[in-house]
Amino acid sequence: MIKLEGVHTYYGTSHILHGIDLSIEQGETVALLGRNGAGKTTTMRTIMGLLRPKEGQISFRGEVISGRKPFQIARKGIAYVPEERAIFAHLSLIENLQIAQVGMGHHLRGTWTIEAIFEKFPILASRKKHRGANLSGGEQQMLAIARALMSEPVLLLLDEPSEGLAPIIVEQLQKITREIVAEGITVLLVEQNLDMCAALADRHYVMDQGRIVYCGTNEEFMANEEVRDRYLTLSSVERTLEAEE
């Protein structure tokens, strides 16, 4: 469905992605793992056209999309749920959903109508008149995913969906993600929660310092303690910073 070949991306003069090769087949759930600063979010933003690769190319369903504008990429069938969720704080929940649909230029009813969204996310139905700023963190995350679905994607990019959420909400997100995949949507998941990744992903890529250093099936990855310890365990500096926070 999507293929990155030799992708190099910069922030200004800072070279972040160093020749990324990554591919996802239709119907897969693929996890992209790595420590903070490894380049995971940059990879997502590059796929979405928010950053342009200086070298390499990205193909979606056989068509080169690298260099296209984000709205053009979105209309090809890719939706992005960013780590910060980016909810419109002063709009109501239902207005957040409606503006996504209007922004995609949809004039016909698709699979993901507001009615279908409320059936999939019943908690959102009970909050539909609440402003985005008044929703809990879990509700905002569900709204961000629901808003992405309103664009009728075939590929969904999820960036750290469980971050800062209670375990019970994480379990709900796992269930919803499985149901989304069952609807035929392919998922690229960036996530620090290894239990969530193990529960959802068919394959795992591991990044370190802007490079892909490992790729394997879920079974291979979970059996490879060396890779997890080397590339995913917090360093002593990171543990110190986390403790200070």
Side-chain angles (χ1 to χ4, degrees):
M1 174 168 280
I2 191 163
K3 189 173 186 179
L4 284 70
E5 300 175 277
V7 171
H8 292 256
T9 300
Y10 290 72
Y11 276 110
T13 59
S14 299
H15 193 175
I16 307 300
L17 300 185
H18 300 261
I20 296 294
D21 293 313
L22 180 152
S23 63
I24 306 174
E25 300 296 329
Q26 183 171 337
E28 277 194 308
T29 299
V30 171
L32 183 59
L33 307 169
R35 294 191 181 103
N36 290 335
K40 306 182 299 297
T41 294
T42 300
T43 301
M44 295 283 221
R45 289 173 61 82
T46 302
I47 292 172
M48 205 65 225
L50 297 165
L51 295 169
R52 294 194 176 192
K54 286 196 174 182
E55 297 179 44
Q57 70 176 27
I58 303 171
S59 302
F60 179 62
R61 290 178 152 182
E63 178 184 352
V64 176
I65 60 170
S66 41
R68 297 284 185 91
K69 295 180 179 179
F71 80 88
Q72 294 171 323
I73 293 172
R75 289 181 179 178
K76 295 289 182 184
I78 304 178
Y80 177 39
V81 181
E83 183 179 1
E84 67 275 11
R85 299 164 189 158
I87 296 301
F88 293 105
H90 297 293
L91 296 182
S92 69
L93 184 151
I94 197 165
E95 286 170 339
N96 268 275
L97 295 176
Q98 289 169 335
I99 201 169
Q101 193 172 42
V102 171
M104 290 301 296
H106 290 167
H107 303 292
L108 301 176
R109 288 170 65 89
T111 301
W112 294 101
T113 62
I114 288 178
E115 292 81 5
I117 289 293
F118 285 162
E119 183 177 346
K120 182 70 66 182
F121 302 86
I123 187 63
L124 298 186
S126 66
R127 304 285 196 272
K128 62 184 178 182
K129 294 184 179 179
H130 287 58
R131 293 196 309 169
N134 295 332
L135 301 175
S136 69
E139 290 164 353
Q140 287 187 4
Q141 185 61 72
M142 291 183 189
L143 174 56
I145 295 172
R147 185 180 60 185
L149 293 175
M150 291 293 290
S151 68
E152 302 289 342
V154 293
L155 173 62
L156 183 62
L157 312 180
L158 294 175
D159 195 349
E160 301 282 8
S162 77
E163 185 177 21
L165 301 182
I168 190 169
I169 302 299
V170 174
E171 288 181 13
Q172 292 175 20
L173 287 175
Q174 286 183 199
K175 176 177 179 293
I176 288 167
T177 304
R178 287 195 196 95
E179 292 172 353
I180 289 170
V181 172
E183 297 277 355
I185 296 175
T186 302
V187 173
L188 176 58
L189 172 68
V190 164
E191 183 54 68
Q192 298 281 1
N193 186 329
L194 290 185
D195 290 337
M196 184 174 182
C197 291
L200 295 173
D202 300 301
R203 289 190 298 122
H204 302 264
Y205 284 92
V206 177
M207 295 189 72
D208 184 57
Q209 298 181 6
R211 294 176 172 85
I212 299 292
V213 294
Y214 175 85
C215 177
T217 66
N218 187 47
E219 293 76 13
E220 292 168 343
F221 173 72
M222 295 312 297
N224 198 325
E225 186 175 351
E226 180 183 352
V227 166
R228 296 198 307 276
D229 286 347
R230 181 174 181 181
Y231 296 112
L232 302 178
T233 302
L234 290 177
S235 68
S236 58
V237 174
E238 289 171 322
R239 284 195 294 269
T240 300
L241 292 173
E242 192 173 77
E244 290 176 351
E245 290 176 358

